[in-house]
């Protein structure tokens, strides 16, 4: 089964690599239109998955990731249309030169080939990946979680219908419908046909892929993100940023999980923080120093453990840690951060420079919410993942991250001396 899927995907990738931008865009427009025309059937399939997930006692964070609404579907369709408007990177000349030998050399962008993506309760990922892979001439093999079986089946059917209308092979976008985990292992060994694996899920999935894959793996999407509130921060402006970073959509990987607060502003800041978090139904988990100041506040608070500082809450829970300097804040981030998104709230330019230069993360912000780490927000269109690696891509992975390049040399009956 998996071997045949891989073979068909590879064959489709050869056709996609030569496909004109106009045809690829036609397929994308058809996907967006069909999504909107099929709202009812997609939502009905999604409700089946939601009902099963609730019966299985899955967390609110997972249910939120799984849920599709008319608004979310409309947004997903519009994201596909945005990808249509983006410049097709395939065929672009990155750079070039003429060597002393007379050889004219240039680097040209080409598709990666076949992308395998393993993800959990995120039906929107199905569309995001399909759109970006089609635009960049890549075929894709998708393996969604068992929580999304019905939703993904409905979405894949629409995608393949759009491919057919555009004259492209339906095997360009395929999914592994069987929820048996053995098919993940088989996919990870399919190096004859698959060129890259992208896991989107929890730490266990990422570890599985790193340990068992014979194919290059792009890991990311684990977001233990921090905001450091410096002593020079404008407290009144800092609080809305924190609320946005924590509550806009708590189940996402760019949500802040730990707030680092300079101890010099703790007496005033923590009182206001507690009230603000209580107003937004956020539970606090504090170190001993912060706990002593927060326990009499409005928000619920308990002592935080070392394990909690290293995990994603993916819910309305926020860690609070007091630090006595920016150096301590950076040290904490280096120990507990996942390399995803980090932010400093300050009015001190020297500290801005230090934080930006010394914090090692895919995205670093100054006086801004961590929620901006997103392909759409970065102007990349939809994203296939947020990479916390340094090779071959970092941060939100848009179109260019799904390409590689080839060297092309032009000679005039040239031989090497």
């Amino acid at each position: 089964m998996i071997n045949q899927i891989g073979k068909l995907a590879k064959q489709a990738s050869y056709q996609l690599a030569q496909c004109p931008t106009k045809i690829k865009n036609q397929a994308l427009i058809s996907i967006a239109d069909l999504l909107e025309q099929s709202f009812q059937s997609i939502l009905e399939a999604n409700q089946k998955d939601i009902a099963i997930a609730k019966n299985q006692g899955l967390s609110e964070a997972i249910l939120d990731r799984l849920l599709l609404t008319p608004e979310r579907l409309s947004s997903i369709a519009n994201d596909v249309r945005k990808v249509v408007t983006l410049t097709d990177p395939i065929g672009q000349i990155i750079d070039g030169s003429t060597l002393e030998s007379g050889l004219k050399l240039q680097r040209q962008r080409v598709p990666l080939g076949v992308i395998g993506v393993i993800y959990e309760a995120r039906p929107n990922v199905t569309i995001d990946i399909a759109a970006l892979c089609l635009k960049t001439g890549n075929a894709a093999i998708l393996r969604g979680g068992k929580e999304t079986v019905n939703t993904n089946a409905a979405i894949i059917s629409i995608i393949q219908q759009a491919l057919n209308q555009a004259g492209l092979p339906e095997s360009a976008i395929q999914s592994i419908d069987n929820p048996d985990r053995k098919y993940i292992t088989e996919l990870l060994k399919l190096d004859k046909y698959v060129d890259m694996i992208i896991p989107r899920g929890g730490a266990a999935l990422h570890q599985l892929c790193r340990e068992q894959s014979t194919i290059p793996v792009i890991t990311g999407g684990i977001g233990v993100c921090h905001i450091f509130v410096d002593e020079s921060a404008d407290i009144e402006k800092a609080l809305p940023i924190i609320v946005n970073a924590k509550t806009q959509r708590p189940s996402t990987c760019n949500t802040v999980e730990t707030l680092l607060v300079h101890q010099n502003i703790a007496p005033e800041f923590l009182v206001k923080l507690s009230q603000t978090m209580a107003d937004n139904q956020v539970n606090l988990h504090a170190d001993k120093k912060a706990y002593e100041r927060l326990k009499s506040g409005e928000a619920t608070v308990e002592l935080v453990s070392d394990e909690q500082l290293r995990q994603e809450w993916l819910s309305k829970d926020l860690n609070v840690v007091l630090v006595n300097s920016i150096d301590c804040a950076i040290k904490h981030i280096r120990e507990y951060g996942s390399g995803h998104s980090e932010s400093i709230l300050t009015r001190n330019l020297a500290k801005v420079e230090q934080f930006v230069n010394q914090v090692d993360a895919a995205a670093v912000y100054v006086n801004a919410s961590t929620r901006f780490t997103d392909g759409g927000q970065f102007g990349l269109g939809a994203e296939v993942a947020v990479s916390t690696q340094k090779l071959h891509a970092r941060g939100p992975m848009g179109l260019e991250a799904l390409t590689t390049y080839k060297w092309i040399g032009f000679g005039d009956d040239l031989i090497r001396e």
Side-chain angles (χ1 to χ4, degrees):
M1 170 187 170
I2 297 298
N3 199 66
Q4 180 65 12
I5 288 175
K7 186 176 182 179
L8 290 172
K10 198 66 174 178
Q11 291 172 348
S13 74
Y14 298 141
Q15 184 174 340
L16 287 175
Q18 307 301 316
C19 186
T21 302
K22 181 179 179 180
I23 301 300
K24 292 187 289 188
N25 283 342
Q26 285 176 356
L28 292 171
I29 292 169
S30 292
I31 289 173
D33 291 345
L34 288 171
L35 280 173
E36 291 182 337
Q37 294 168 19
S38 308
F39 267 21
Q40 193 60 39
S41 61
I42 295 172
L43 293 176
E44 287 176 0
N46 185 246
Q47 282 304 307
K48 291 180 182 178
D49 288 331
I50 290 289
I52 295 170
K54 287 181 177 179
N55 288 336
Q56 293 175 343
L58 298 184
S59 69
E60 288 299 321
I62 293 178
L63 290 173
D64 179 64
R65 287 179 173 181
L66 174 58
L67 178 65
L68 288 179
T69 64
E71 293 75 23
R72 288 185 181 182
L73 270 175
S74 180
S75 177
I76 290 169
N78 287 332
D79 284 343
V80 175
R81 293 190 178 98
K82 289 177 185 176
V83 174
V84 174
T85 67
L86 299 176
T87 301
D88 185 349
I90 302 304
Q92 289 180 353
I93 305 302
I94 301 171
D95 53 32
S97 62
T98 301
L99 308 182
E100 290 184 5
S101 63
L103 184 69
K104 294 181 180 179
L105 200 60
Q106 65 186 33
R107 288 192 301 153
Q108 181 174 310
R109 289 199 183 280
V110 295
L112 285 165
V114 179
I115 313 296
V117 186
I118 305 166
Y119 53 106
E120 296 175 347
R122 302 167 186 258
N124 63 297
V125 172
T126 306
I127 296 294
D128 291 347
I129 294 165
L132 290 178
C133 284
L134 286 174
K135 185 76 175 191
T136 50
N138 291 291
I141 300 173
L142 311 179
R143 201 284 187 180
K146 62 181 183 296
E147 307 88 357
T148 58
V149 168
N150 294 294
T151 309
N152 281 345
I155 292 174
I156 290 294
S157 175
I158 288 167
I159 292 171
Q160 292 183 338
Q161 183 181 343
L163 288 169
N164 186 269
Q165 290 178 358
L168 296 174
E170 293 183 4
S171 53
I173 305 294
Q174 300 176 82
S175 67
I176 300 171
D177 300 325
N178 195 313
D180 193 324
R181 292 184 67 85
K182 74 175 185 178
Y183 292 113
I184 293 180
T185 303
E186 290 184 21
L187 176 60
L188 295 177
K189 306 295 184 184
L190 209 62
D191 51 86
K192 183 178 180 180
Y193 301 117
V194 179
D195 299 282
M196 179 184 286
I197 293 289
I198 302 175
R200 291 190 61 168
L205 174 61
H206 286 258
Q207 183 176 353
L208 174 72
C209 292
R210 285 194 298 267
E211 292 177 350
Q212 298 196 20
S213 180
T214 58
I215 305 164
V217 176
I218 294 285
T219 57
I222 306 297
V224 183
C225 306
H226 300 75
I227 292 179
F228 170 47
V229 186
D230 179 46
E231 61 183 325
S232 68
D234 185 320
I235 293 177
E236 296 305 321
K237 292 181 179 179
L239 291 170
I241 293 174
I242 296 164
V243 170
N244 175 262
K246 181 70 263 185
T247 69
Q248 188 190 47
R249 197 170 176 193
S251 64
T252 58
C253 59
N254 54 22
T255 294
V256 66
E257 303 293 10
T258 297
L259 195 64
L260 302 170
V261 180
H262 198 294
Q263 64 181 17
N264 289 354
I265 61 168
E268 177 186 0
F269 179 78
L270 293 184
V271 171
K272 294 183 178 181
L273 176 71
S274 182
Q275 181 62 62
T276 302
M277 293 300 103
D279 292 342
N280 288 275
Q281 298 83 49
V282 175
N283 304 310
L284 300 179
H285 305 263
D287 69 354
K288 290 181 180 179
K289 291 182 179 179
Y291 178 79
E292 290 303 316
R293 293 186 178 277
L294 287 167
K295 65 182 182 180
S296 59
E298 295 297 319
T300 60
V301 60
E302 60 182 37
L303 287 170
V304 68
S305 67
D306 187 79
E307 181 182 359
Q308 289 171 333
L309 290 172
R310 299 180 187 277
Q311 72 180 23
E312 290 180 298
W313 282 110
L314 304 176
S315 58
K316 285 192 173 183
D317 290 87
L318 178 66
N319 304 325
V320 182
V321 175
L322 294 188
V323 295
N324 58 23
S325 67
I326 186 174
D327 293 318
C328 288
I330 292 171
K331 183 179 179 181
H332 181 101
I333 291 170
R334 288 173 177 172
E335 175 65 24
Y336 295 97
S338 60
H340 193 293
S341 302
E342 310 292 353
S343 179
I344 181 173
L345 308 183
T346 185
R347 290 295 182 263
N348 185 307
L349 293 179
K351 290 183 179 179
V352 167
E353 184 176 4
Q354 181 182 356
F355 192 86
V356 169
N357 290 338
Q358 295 184 13
V359 169
D360 186 14
V364 180
Y365 297 97
V366 178
N367 297 321
S369 168
T370 56
R371 284 282 291 132
F372 283 101
T373 309
D374 172 84
Q377 293 294 316
F378 277 23
L380 303 177
E383 68 187 31
V384 70
V386 176
S387 170
T388 53
Q389 293 183 177
K390 299 179 182 179
L391 295 174
H392 114 104
R394 198 177 198 194
M397 293 177 61
L399 296 178
E400 287 190 5
L402 292 180
T403 69
T404 183
Y405 58 82
K406 65 172 64 171
W407 292 96
I408 303 174
F410 297 92
D412 185 10
D413 302 320
L414 195 62
I415 61 172
R416 178 175 173 176
E417 297 294 337

